């Protein structure tokens, strides 16, 4: 579950198909994912109702009716699968476990079974509200948080001088932006990823904030359009994670979608970054 758009897609599906139901069973392949034993977690969460599911960056947080939370974080390459049980009968946990042998995690609710596959590593934490805050205290806000405004966004970067790309990928500033989105956001804002953040003016921050929201929203919508129909029994929600149309990440040597200039690659802290030399000038152009 690598990136925000996919995770947001999962969150919406969970909201549609799982929220409001009670947890009936739980299984994990490796207890190292947990912050307690599986037995203790099962004792605590089975029978609890899922009130809502929240996304913070790439973490999914299940809010339970006893005030506790379940935090799910799975590594890149993993995906979530949801199977609905239309029968009046409860899903048989035995059968479910059988069918989901390869799943790293399976959560059975009243009418649906949620499984995680393909994860090399992951965490599934059973936390009090306070423990969750503690867990997330070093994280910046979610880029799509309703509390975030262009002004607050700019303030997050104050006193953090680095290149633009490094800054927008720093989870202590804003959580959940990976290399691909960092390049596409910088491109959408017309700012070169190598620019130092102290060179940016208010209008640049403003453009950058809106570029971030637009790029992520476009990717979320694209993921939704690409999802498999949800009427079938197996609701496999994996999408290809295709980049938005105006993505330039990884496209060195290809024409810029805006001006046709060839996309360039550069290294920032030894990692490749992609940009259009025409649309993203070396020094930001400011209206005087
Ligand atoms: Zn261009």
């Amino acid at each position: 579950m690598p990136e925000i758009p996919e995770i947001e897609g999962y969150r919406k599906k969970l909201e549609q198909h799982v929220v409001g139901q009670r947890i009936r069973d739980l299984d994990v392949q490796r207890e190292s994912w947990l912050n307690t034993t599986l037995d203790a977690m099962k004792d605590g969460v089975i029978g609890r109702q899922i009130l809502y599911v929240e996304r913070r960056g790439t973490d999914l947080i299940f809010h339970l009716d006893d005030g506790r939370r379940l935090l799910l974080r799975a590594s890149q390459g993993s995906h979530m699968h949801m199977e609905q049980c239309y029968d009046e009968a409860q899903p048989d946990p035995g059968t479910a476990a059988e069918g989901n042998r390869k799943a790293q995690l399976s959560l059975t609710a009243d009418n649906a079974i949620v499984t995680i596959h393909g994860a090399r590593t992951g965490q599934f934490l059973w936390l009090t509200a306070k423990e969750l805050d503690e867990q997330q205290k070093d994280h910046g806000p979610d880029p799509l948080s309703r509390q975030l405004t262009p002004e607050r966004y700019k303030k997050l970067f104050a006193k953090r001088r680095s290149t633009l790309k490094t800054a927008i990928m720093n989870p202590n500033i804003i959580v959940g932006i990976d290399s691909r989105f960092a390049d596409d956001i910088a491109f959408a804002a017309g700012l070169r990823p190598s620019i130092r953040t102290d060179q940016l003016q208010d209008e640049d921050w403003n453009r950058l904030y809106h570029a971030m929201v637009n790029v992520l929203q476009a990717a979320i919508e694209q993921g939704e359009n690409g999802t498999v129909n949800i009427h079938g029994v197996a609701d496999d929600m994996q999408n290809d994670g295709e980049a938005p149309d105006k993505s330039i990440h990884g496209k060195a040597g290809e024409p810029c979608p805006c001006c046709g200039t060839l996309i360039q690659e550069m290294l920032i802290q030894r990692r490749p970054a992609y940009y259009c030399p025409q649309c993203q000038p070396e020094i930001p152009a400011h209206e005087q």
Side-chain angles (χ1 to χ4, degrees):
M1 296 155 82
E3 290 148 30
I4 285 178
E6 283 91 327
I7 305 287
E8 181 62 20
Y10 293 142
R11 190 197 64 75
K12 287 182 179 169
K13 296 290 178 190
L14 288 164
E15 200 168 79
Q16 270 178 296
H17 300 297
V18 177
V19 161
Q21 298 175 32
R22 291 187 184 276
I23 298 174
R24 297 302 175 191
D25 197 15
L26 190 65
D27 200 12
V28 288
Q29 214 171 47
R30 291 194 206 105
E31 258 189 10
S32 60
W33 279 38
L34 309 179
N35 59 338
T36 174
T37 63
L38 181 59
D39 286 341
M41 192 184 262
K42 285 170 82 164
D43 278 349
V45 308
I46 289 178
R48 297 262 67 94
Q49 188 185 18
I50 300 168
L51 298 182
Y52 64 100
V53 181
E54 179 194 6
R55 183 187 56 72
R56 291 192 200 171
T58 51
D59 292 344
L60 279 173
I61 299 159
F62 295 74
H63 290 254
L64 307 181
D65 64 350
D66 62 352
R68 281 185 167 251
R69 280 88 160 124
L70 286 168
L71 182 149
L72 174 62
R73 183 183 291 160
S75 67
Q76 214 146 26
S78 57
H79 62 276
M80 187 184 284
H81 180 93
M82 200 179 300
E83 192 165 328
Q84 285 185 268
C85 316
Y86 288 113
D87 283 4
E88 303 80 17
Q90 296 291 326
D92 173 4
T95 318
E98 195 69 23
N100 298 318
R101 194 169 274 162
K102 281 186 206 151
Q104 277 91 43
L105 181 147
S106 73
L107 183 152
T108 307
D110 290 326
N111 301 312
I113 303 170
V114 179
T115 50
I116 299 289
H117 300 262
R120 279 202 201 141
T121 58
Q123 282 183 296
F124 193 56
L125 309 177
W126 185 42
L127 303 166
T128 63
K130 205 176 160 188
E131 287 165 345
L132 177 68
D133 286 346
E134 182 63 20
Q135 227 273 337
Q136 308 250 316
K137 73 176 183 335
D138 295 328
H139 290 187
D142 183 86
L144 299 177
S145 160
R146 287 200 185 93
Q147 276 90 50
L148 206 56
T149 60
E151 291 71 32
R152 284 191 181 169
Y153 178 73
K154 180 192 161 192
K155 278 189 190 148
L156 295 171
F157 293 87
K159 295 177 192 164
R160 309 242 195 177
R161 290 181 184 181
S162 68
T163 63
L164 180 62
K165 180 161 182 179
T166 306
I168 53 186
M169 285 177 67
N170 182 345
N172 305 133
I173 300 177
I174 283 270
V175 75
I177 309 262
D178 71 350
S179 179
R180 163 188 139 195
F181 284 112
D183 283 339
D184 290 344
I185 290 165
F187 174 67
L191 296 167
R192 198 168 285 199
S194 54
I195 284 174
R196 295 195 66 81
T197 50
D198 49 310
Q199 287 181 290
L200 299 181
Q201 298 187 5
D202 284 354
E203 64 188 77
D204 301 318
W205 288 112
N206 212 11
R207 276 207 317 281
L208 192 63
Y209 172 76
H210 291 290
M212 172 182 75
V213 172
N214 293 341
V215 165
L216 291 174
Q217 292 288 11
I220 289 169
E221 279 163 33
Q222 200 189 36
E224 281 167 1
N225 296 336
T227 36
V228 190
N229 78 75
I230 56 166
H231 304 294
V233 179
D235 181 12
D236 193 332
M237 299 171 302
Q238 185 184 24
N239 67 43
D240 303 334
E242 269 179 42
D245 294 332
K246 293 229 170 155
S247 176
I248 60 155
H249 178 75
K251 295 187 177 166
E254 291 181 37
C256 165
C258 289
C259 73
T261 306
L262 298 186
I263 304 291
Q264 305 278 313
E265 180 181 327
M266 64 160 84
L267 291 178
I268 296 176
Q269 295 195 334
R270 296 188 197 164
R271 299 176 65 178
Y274 300 87
Y275 67 100
C276 168
Q278 184 69 30
C279 298
Q280 296 164 273
E282 205 167 352
I283 294 166
H286 294 121
E287 293 161 21
Q288 294 303 323

